[in-house]
Amino acid sequence: MSQDNRLLPLSPGTNLDRPLRDLTHPERPNNTYALAEPTHLRDYLSVVLKRKWLILSLLVVVTSLVALQMYRQPTVYEAKSTIQIEQKTKNLLKSKELVLNAPNDPAYWGTQLKLLENPRLHRQVILALDLQNNPAFLGGQTRPSLFAAARRIFSRQPAQPAATPTSAGGLGVVNDAPAATATAQQAEQLTPEQTARMLAYEDALRAGITIDPVERTNLVEIHYQHTNPELAMKVADTLAQVFIDDNNARETSGSANSATQLAKNITDLQAAYRQKQEQIIAFKRSHNLPLGAADGQDLTKAILGMSTTQMMDAENKRKELEASYRVAQSAQDIYSIPEVMSNKSVQELRDKLGELEAQRQALLVQYTEEWPAVQKIDKQKAQVQASLDKQAKDVVKTIEGSYRAAVLRENSLRQSNSTARGQANAQSQSEGQLDIILQEQETIKQLYNTALQRQKELAATGTEVPNNISISTPARRAEIVGPPRVRNILIALLLSLGAGIGLAFLLDYLDDTLKSIEDVDRHIHLPTLALIPAPRAERRVMPARGALPAHAGSGGDPTATALALIEEKRSPVAEAYRHLRTSLLLSSAGQPPKTILVTSSQPSEGKTTTAVNTAVMLAQTGAEVLILDCDLRRPRIHAHFGLSNTRGVTNYLSGDANVSSLIQEYEKLPNLKIITSGPVPPNSAELLGSEEMRRLLLLLSENFTHIIIDSPPAISFTDASILSTMVDGVMLVVHGGRSSRAVVRRAKQQLLDVGAHIYGIVLNNVKLESSDYYYYSGYYSSYYANEDEDQTVATEADELVETAKSK
């Protein structure tokens, strides 16, 4: 070691805050690292190969399960029945006109296709075949066991369809219209509860039906799929026949309904006519109207006519008598009254009086008035005159009495006529109401005649309607159509492969740990000094997260941990640490690093083991190497070497200036010296950051080629950050497959923030089963088959060290 590199005791003006590497190498540039390369196809391939067993496991499991499920499913048969649908022909008797070259209805074809999907038809098919009582309809085939499904996969034997049991009363294929009509009527008579129970059967039937029109033809194919071939054929043919019968019933239902409606209307009109007739009779009786048109039936009219005639006669008579009465009252001479003059008694008395006067005159001719005979005639004449006057007065009284009687009679007849006229008026009003009823009756009679005429016309035009739908080809044989086992298995194979690859990339994306050199390059942007593989025992059984492997100094026999590399020189782990040694020797320009701090981002990442193995490998080159345990919180160096920890770094930092008394030796490597941590102090960070710690490093660097310093984790404590300012560089140990990228980046940034120089990353405890690092076990085990290889490796290492020293 040259005198230029030896540090003398510090002067009072020396800046102790300046990093030690800046004092020794003031011109060293900052630590930089090239950006990661872009992702290539091989990176994706490495992700797939890294998790190939997960992908293959998912592929085998999913494909096997799908294959077993496919072969557990029953075989599906499909029957096809073809029907022919023609345009409807016009009935000339109904249309009453001749239509030539009538255009086809564009909506008719689509309407028929939709009618084939009518749930009512499906219900009729279910009732016609009695599918609701057929266990083979909904039950189908019983699924075989897994063993039987596996045997079917290799034997390629199709499953035998189950027999179709026919329940009592079950119908076969409907081939006649009466049966279809009965089925339709039965479907219409279902109760709501029965209809609700039929929904499951209708859905199952509709799920297997496919209506497929044949292009450029009038043919429609009815496909039905079921696990029973016989049932599939029956359903296809029955649906076609039920559709034909339903179409025929629908075509003739108009005429039948019209005839039925007309008959019902005629019956109703007859009843209404009879009801009106009874209403008319009852109305006439209640209103005293004549029940018929025969003479003498209309008494009110006759009474009114007779009363009017009598009243007029009485009025005329009264007028005549009134005239006579007025004349008699105004006459001066009673005998001037015509009635008196025309009275027979008066005339007789006047004639008798004239005779007596003539006799008197005759006697007076001979005799005088005193003559007894004349006297007698005078007496007779006086008696006759008295009778005549009395009779004249009686005639006048008779005229007055007749007049008064005529007035009374006229008044009586006038009152009777008024009563008869009132009755006639009431009868006229009743007859007006009766006319309304008669008009209603006449209207009913006209409607009745019209209905009879329409019934005769309908009977003339209700001829047989030709059915425009027929079965072209009935179902002959059910073909196997499913399930598509090979296709589904291939799809499952491809999907599981894609899912496995996607899962691999997802796990790789979610995995935030550093597992490979590429991960360190891509995410940490620091060089990887070495890749330390995990021992075989640990690769077989990985420790739980947070547990320290045996080789990492987590306890156990120290000879089986880090120091085991002294005997196992041909192991992949030993070769990995030789690679780490070479990387460290060539990591600094000008000369190899002298003081190297070994730390990690978090506990249990193997930093102590890495520090011990690095010191061992450097000591095997013949250089004077000191391993310094500065992990004053959890010291482990003494446990690995089996040394006492009563005195160490803390003794010097506490005032013990005798450094040589603190150095301990290791028998198997004389040039490897150890200074343990000493008693654990309560203030380790203050001790490590003191001037004594810096002075200790300067003193030790004068006597040793390399100083390996073990420190606490950088994230958990500030000890590593403090020590990083006093050394040439820092070696960051990362547990492969467990250390988080974020934690490592944080540790890196924390060291860079205090000006530390990071040599790189040591990726520790990496599983060699990874496709990227399989060569560690295979290549090195075969390479070290030669017996003289140890000497060759040692010679190459010595040459590297000498080359580094010369530079």
Side-chain angles (χ1 to χ4, degrees), residues 514-518 520 528-534 572-573 575-577 579-580 583 734 736 761-768 770 772-776 780:
L514 298 172
K515 301 178 292 297
S516 63
I517 298 175
E518 288 76 9
V520 177
T528 303
L529 300 177
L531 185 72
I532 311 300
V573 179
E575 185 59 34
Y577 279 108
H579 182 73
L580 175 58
S583 299
V734 174
I761 299 294
V762 177
L763 197 58
N764 186 33
N765 201 32
V766 178
K767 293 188 295 182
L768 295 184
S770 176
D772 297 334
Y773 313 117
Y774 69 93
Y775 52 84
Y776 271 103
Y780 287 115

Side-chain angles (χ1 to χ4, degrees), residues 728-740:
D728 293 341
V730 181
M731 185 169 61
L732 189 59
V733 179
V734 174
H735 192 294
R738 195 180 69 178
S739 298
S740 173

Side-chain angles (χ1 to χ4, degrees), residues 678-711:
V680 178
N683 53 350
S684 58
E686 287 77 3
L687 291 177
L688 294 178
S690 64
E691 177 65 23
E692 284 76 9
M693 185 64 201
R694 188 182 298 274
R695 187 174 291 107
L696 175 62
L697 292 179
L698 290 175
L699 293 176
L700 293 176
S701 62
E702 295 178 353
N703 300 311
F704 294 96
T705 307
H706 303 288
I707 301 175
I708 306 300
I709 305 173
D710 186 21
S711 67

Side-chain angles (χ1 to χ4, degrees), residues 548-570:
L548 188 63
H551 82 284
S554 60
D557 187 6
T559 61
T561 58
L563 298 181
L565 298 180
I566 298 177
E567 285 79 12
E568 297 180 5
K569 297 181 179 180
R570 295 185 180 183

Side-chain angles (χ1 to χ4, degrees), residues 318-584:
R318 189 264 307 164
K319 289 179 179 180
E320 292 177 0
L321 292 176
E322 183 180 8
S324 298
Y325 175 73
R326 299 297 181 194
V327 171
Q329 291 292 330
S330 60
Q332 296 295 327
D333 184 6
I334 192 173
Y335 295 104
S336 62
I337 300 173
E339 286 77 3
V340 176
M341 293 297 295
S342 61
N343 187 270
K344 185 176 179 179
S345 296
V346 172
Q347 289 177 2
E348 290 177 357
L349 289 174
R350 290 185 69 179
D351 290 343
K352 188 175 181 178
L353 184 60
E355 290 176 358
L356 292 176
E357 181 66 27
Q359 290 177 4
R360 183 179 181 269
Q361 291 295 334
L363 290 178
L364 287 178
V365 173
Q366 295 177 2
Y367 304 103
T368 61
E369 294 182 356
E370 288 82 8
W371 177 262
V374 174
Q375 288 289 330
K376 183 181 179 179
I377 290 172
D378 289 336
K379 291 179 179 183
Q380 291 180 347
K381 185 178 177 182
Q383 293 178 350
V384 172
Q385 185 65 41
S387 296
L388 179 63
D389 293 338
K390 182 181 181 297
Q391 187 64 33
K393 292 179 180 180
D394 289 341
V395 171
V396 173
K397 289 181 180 181
T398 301
I399 292 173
E400 182 180 2
S402 298
Y403 168 69
R404 295 187 182 280
V407 170
L408 293 175
R409 186 172 182 274
E410 181 186 5
N411 293 334
S412 176
L413 289 176
R414 190 175 296 279
Q415 185 177 1
S416 298
N417 182 261
S418 177
T419 302
R421 187 177 290 107
Q423 293 178 352
N425 292 334
Q427 182 176 350
S428 298
Q429 294 178 359
S430 299
E431 287 179 352
Q433 297 178 2
L434 180 63
D435 289 339
I436 297 175
I437 300 176
L438 290 174
Q439 289 178 1
E440 294 177 355
Q441 186 184 31
E442 184 66 21
T443 302
I444 294 173
K445 184 177 181 181
Q446 292 177 0
L447 293 175
Y448 175 76
N449 294 331
T450 303
L452 285 178
Q453 183 65 26
R454 177 60 182 163
Q455 189 179 38
K456 294 178 182 179
E457 294 177 357
L458 189 62
T461 57
T463 57
E464 182 68 21
V465 178
N467 199 344
N468 61 319
I469 303 177
S470 60
I471 297 179
S472 176
T473 305
R476 298 180 57 188
R477 183 177 59 184
E479 302 290 342
I480 298 177
V481 295
R485 296 186 175 95
V486 177
R487 186 194 66 182
N488 291 344
I489 292 173
L490 290 177
I491 292 175
L493 177 67
L494 296 177
L495 290 179
S496 60
L497 178 61
I501 294 175
L503 181 61
F505 279 98
L506 177 62
L507 294 177
D508 185 74
Y509 174 76
L510 297 177
D511 189 2
D512 193 30
T513 60
L514 298 172
K515 301 178 292 297
S516 63
I517 298 175
E518 288 76 9
D519 292 341
V520 177
D521 294 342
R522 184 181 302 113
H523 302 289
I524 308 302
H525 304 302
L526 287 176
T528 303
L529 300 177
L531 185 72
I532 311 300
R536 291 186 179 273
E538 189 171 334
R539 277 178 273 159
R540 288 193 297 268
V541 181
M542 288 300 296
R545 185 175 182 87
L548 188 63
H551 82 284
S554 60
D557 187 6
T559 61
T561 58
L563 298 181
L565 298 180
I566 298 177
E567 285 79 12
E568 297 180 5
K569 297 181 179 180
R570 295 185 180 183
S571 65
V573 179
E575 185 59 34
Y577 279 108
R578 293 188 187 97
H579 182 73
L580 175 58
R581 177 185 63 189
T582 303
S583 299
L584 284 175

Side-chain angles (χ1 to χ4, degrees), residues 66 229 260 403 407 460 480 589 612 659:
V66 172
T260 303
Y403 168 69
V407 170
I480 298 177
V612 172
V659 180

